[in-house]
Amino acid sequence: MNIPNMLTISRFVLIPVYLVIFFNGHIQVAFFILLAAGLTDILDGYIARTRGLITPVGVMLDPLADKSMMIAVILSLLISGLIPWQAAAAMFIRDLGMIMGSAFFHFRGKLTVPANVMGKLTTVLYYFAILFIVFHLNFAITYLWFVIGVSFLTSFIYIIQFLVLNRGAKLK
């Protein structure tokens, strides 16, 4: 267990904190909890890369923490009526597909694709979409649909990278 992995685990801990604050009516405060989680993500990645502390566990847990937090956020926004169910469904399908696909291939000994620029950009765009939604900006849902489109494009890029990375390898 190293510092980057502990920071990743802290993101899992922040999920129920976010949910309690959100559902107690402090939606904008909950957004800042989400931002804190995002900052730990940036910090753990920076420390892991600069200090050579990248581990297989961290490579697996980091995106799982990110996706788990986003699923909690999507659920909270859906339940509170701040986003349409169709947008929530599209985000769930994409994120659950990425989680299940990653886990499926990881446990079969396949190489996983590390986060790339498009993935990081998509995350930043989602944070802006959530910001616009929680502060009730008129264009928030339109912007959210744009980001959902970008996220599916990013997933397609990850799939291509995965296939190239694992070309010629057989499933266990």
Side-chain angles (χ1 to χ4, degrees):
M1 182 62 63
N2 60 28
I3 291 172
N5 289 348
M6 287 189 284
L7 288 168
T8 297
I9 290 170
S10 76
R11 287 204 308 284
F12 285 107
V13 172
L14 286 174
I15 293 169
V17 173
Y18 163 85
L19 290 170
V20 166
I21 291 171
F22 185 96
F23 286 115
N24 278 306
H26 305 287
I27 295 171
Q28 288 142 348
V29 174
F31 174 75
F32 290 104
I33 299 297
L34 174 63
L35 278 182
L39 291 175
T40 66
D41 186 25
I42 293 167
L43 186 59
D44 79 47
Y46 174 78
I47 293 170
R49 282 188 305 279
T50 60
R51 296 191 181 166
L53 297 174
I54 297 172
T55 65
V57 169
V59 169
M60 186 67 183
L61 285 181
D62 184 70
L64 184 59
D66 297 341
K67 299 291 179 223
S68 298
M69 178 58 98
M70 286 309 293
I71 288 170
V73 170
I74 294 163
L75 270 175
S76 66
L77 295 173
L78 175 64
I79 291 168
S80 66
L82 292 173
I83 62 171
W85 71 266
Q86 298 92 334
M91 290 185 287
F92 277 131
I93 289 167
R94 189 261 182 177
D95 282 350
L96 288 175
M98 293 292 287
I99 290 169
M100 292 184 329
S102 179
F104 177 81
F105 290 112
H106 172 79
F107 291 115
R108 281 165 178 69
K110 298 297 177 187
L111 299 172
T112 54
V113 177
N116 64 25
V117 172
M118 282 298 292
K120 292 176 185 188
L121 173 64
T122 300
T123 300
V124 169
L125 294 175
Y126 265 123
Y127 274 83
F128 275 108
I130 296 162
L131 171 73
F132 299 155
I133 290 165
V134 301
F135 286 95
H136 307 290
L137 299 179
N138 290 335
F139 59 88
I141 299 303
T142 301
Y143 180 79
L144 175 63
W145 279 110
F146 165 74
V147 177
I148 290 169
V150 171
S151 75
F152 275 92
L153 174 62
T154 300
S155 294
F156 179 73
I157 291 168
Y158 274 115
I159 291 167
I160 298 299
Q161 289 177 329
F162 172 82
L163 292 173
V164 168
L165 188 63
N166 289 284
R167 184 185 353 227
K170 295 189 188 272
L171 286 178
K172 288 182 179 178

